[in-house]
Amino acid sequence: MSMIRDLTAAVRPSLRHSLRKTPTTYTSYDPTRDHSASSAVVDCAVYRDGRRIDDRECLTPRGAMRQVRESGGFAWIGLHEPTEAEFAGIAAEFGLHPLAVEDAVHAHQRPKLERYDDTLFTVFKTIHYVEHAELTATSEVVETGEVMCFTGPDFVITVRHGGQGSLRNLRHRLQGEPELLAKGPSAVLHAIADHVVDGYIAVADAVELDIDQLEIDVFSPAAKGSTRGTDTGRIYQLKREVLEFKRAVTPLLRPMQLLSERPMRLVDPDIQKYFRDVADHLARVQEQVVGFDELLNSILQANLAQATVAQNEDMRKITSWAAIVAVPTAVCGVYGMNFKYMPELEWKYGYPMVLGAIAVICFTIHRTLKRNGWL
């Protein structure tokens, strides 16, 4: 089986790269040039005994790794939307697997946890709630981004995509907790997972308020007199945004369970206990999101049922007025046939009698229909 996996790992990159118009840059690493010093690196530091080392050499990935190999500790390198060329040097310096590197560069990945030799590759979907004054059929409710994390024995490399999900504040917070940071790279991985899931909780609370407001708008008495169909677009749009939220939350549940339950050499046993709390919070959010989806289905069906009921009421009113108008139409049609011998044609009061009969019949029909709720 190991031989098959090695063969698959060797074949898959060649198949992917053969489909591209431009050749890959992973194998073009020049050891005489510092490829890792690129604009994609937003922060680079070495941590030893839970404290950041103030050394200019640690400001580049290559210098940080040299410090780690000489004096211990671990390096934390943060990148934002690196290109293949910008990431090539770092990938070669840290021995990252080409498949994981490709996923990190091109993004749009499903949340997952993969192990490549002595490196864990974790993908998180970050969710940001987009503030809006009023929910419309085109409102953007959630905005997604991605954070990829390479966790090794002595390094953590985070690759962020999208305008949201910055890890700067998280890094500063961790630097204020040296006893936690001293646990090594797995402490950073846990902090990132906890940060992402906390973001899910905040977004879930905000989306719940939107759903509550939408529910009030659909079922309030004032909504019955509004233009029909206006709520359907809003419901469908919010349902699409909840689906995007669901795609970020649901696939992450299994990786968090693995990190919290299965012993891993790269995860400190003390840190693994904290992953259980993250997995528990994530499970709660996942249940909320599934509930949101089901509730929106119910609201959408109720809205369509309301529209159907309103259409039936309109048809009943139209039918009622047609029945009333049918009486004078029938009488006038009879007297418009121009026969010489017809009832009451020569009678002095024949015309007002016919008009009175029409009025009485129409009034009786109107009153009966109104009593039965048709008008």
Side-chain angles (χ1 to χ4, degrees), residues 344-353:
E344 316 303 340
L345 282 179
E346 303 296 332
W347 187 36
K348 178 179 180 181
Y349 300 104
Y351 177 67
M353 185 200 69

Side-chain angles (χ1 to χ4, degrees), residues 97-242:
H97 197 279
L99 291 178
V101 171
E102 185 177 12
D103 289 344
V105 170
H106 295 284
H108 304 294
Q109 302 299 315
R110 191 174 185 265
K112 60 184 179 179
L113 172 67
E114 295 179 342
R115 180 171 181 173
Y116 296 96
D117 299 326
D118 290 335
T119 304
L120 288 179
F121 177 60
T122 315
V123 178
F124 301 95
K125 283 278 190 182
T126 57
I127 299 292
H128 171 70
Y129 180 77
V130 180
E131 296 289 344
H132 47 269
E134 182 181 0
L135 181 66
T136 65
T138 58
S139 295
E140 185 180 12
V141 179
V142 296
E143 183 180 2
T144 61
E146 290 180 53
V147 174
M148 287 84 163
C149 187
F150 295 88
T151 309
D154 51 9
F155 66 86
V156 176
I157 301 173
T158 54
V159 182
R160 184 168 60 87
H161 290 268
Q164 306 297 330
S166 174
L167 302 176
R168 185 181 301 275
N169 292 336
L170 174 64
R171 185 189 287 260
H172 291 164
R173 180 174 63 82
L174 278 177
Q175 289 174 173
E177 301 178 7
E179 67 284 351
L180 181 61
L181 205 54
K183 297 293 183 180
S186 59
V188 177
L189 178 61
H190 163 264
I192 294 173
D194 188 54
H195 173 73
V196 171
V197 173
D198 283 346
Y200 291 167
I201 295 174
V203 172
D205 292 340
V207 171
E208 186 175 13
L209 294 177
D210 279 338
I211 295 177
D212 290 343
Q213 183 60 49
L214 184 62
E215 194 173 15
I216 292 173
D217 293 342
V218 170
F219 293 103
S220 64
K224 296 181 179 179
S226 62
T227 304
R228 293 181 209 91
T230 55
D231 289 325
T232 304
R234 298 166 60 202
I235 298 171
Y236 186 71
Q237 176 64 16
L238 187 55
K239 184 172 174 59
R240 289 186 62 185
E241 297 296 302
V242 168

